[in-house]
Amino acid sequence: MAKPVFEARANETVFAERVSADSWKTPHQTIGRQISGKTYFTDQRIVFLASGLIGTASASWEIEMKDIRSVETCMTPPCFPFGIWITMKDGGKYKLGMMKRNKYIDWISQHIS
């Protein structure tokens, strides 16, 4: 399977692209683990593309802004204040770790309200 790449939709505005981040939790993971990659923020979705050579397609994910219930700060292991906790309307949860998280949390909050 080919490595996923980000492509903006025709009617989509990109806020930030290629933001270094770690995905710590997705609804499909039973145990949280650190997966490094790049995150893309648009007015319609958040896309995480895992980096690496093998298995990046299964570790990458995309969520629609309209499906997000809430976003808040959290800690990332072992005890760093870099986390973004995203709760979906269906109960799914995503945890991202990134520097300068507050600007992304503010931006997501504005687009889900």
Side-chain angles (χ1 to χ4, degrees):
M1 179 178 258
K3 186 173 181 175
V5 294
F6 174 77
E7 292 182 16
R9 297 172 182 163
N11 58 347
E12 184 172 48
T13 303
V14 177
F15 168 68
E17 56 187 331
R18 299 194 51 79
V19 178
S20 293
D22 294 323
S23 176
W24 285 92
K25 171 86 175 93
T26 68
H28 307 294
Q29 290 176 279
T30 54
I31 298 173
R33 64 185 180 104
Q34 182 179 13
I35 301 169
S36 296
K38 301 292 183 188
T39 307
Y40 299 79
F41 295 89
T42 79
D43 60 339
Q44 296 177 19
R45 60 194 169 136
I46 300 171
V47 179
F48 174 81
L49 299 179
S51 57
L53 298 175
I54 300 172
T56 56
S58 64
S60 299
W61 49 265
E62 175 179 319
I63 55 177
E64 298 290 327
M65 297 297 272
K66 64 181 174 56
D67 297 332
I68 297 174
R69 177 186 312 144
S70 64
V71 61
E72 59 192 272
T73 61
C74 65
M75 303 296 269
T76 58
C79 194
F80 296 116
F82 301 139
I84 298 175
W85 192 249
I86 301 169
T87 303
M88 307 301 288
K89 291 178 181 174
D90 67 1
K93 296 183 183 294
Y94 293 81
K95 182 192 276 189
L96 279 172
M98 63 180 53
M99 303 297 287
K100 301 179 182 178
R101 68 180 175 179
N102 287 338
K103 77 176 184 178
Y104 301 107
I105 288 173
D106 291 343
W107 190 84
I108 294 168
S109 295
Q110 291 173 12
H111 284 80
I112 64 172
S113 57

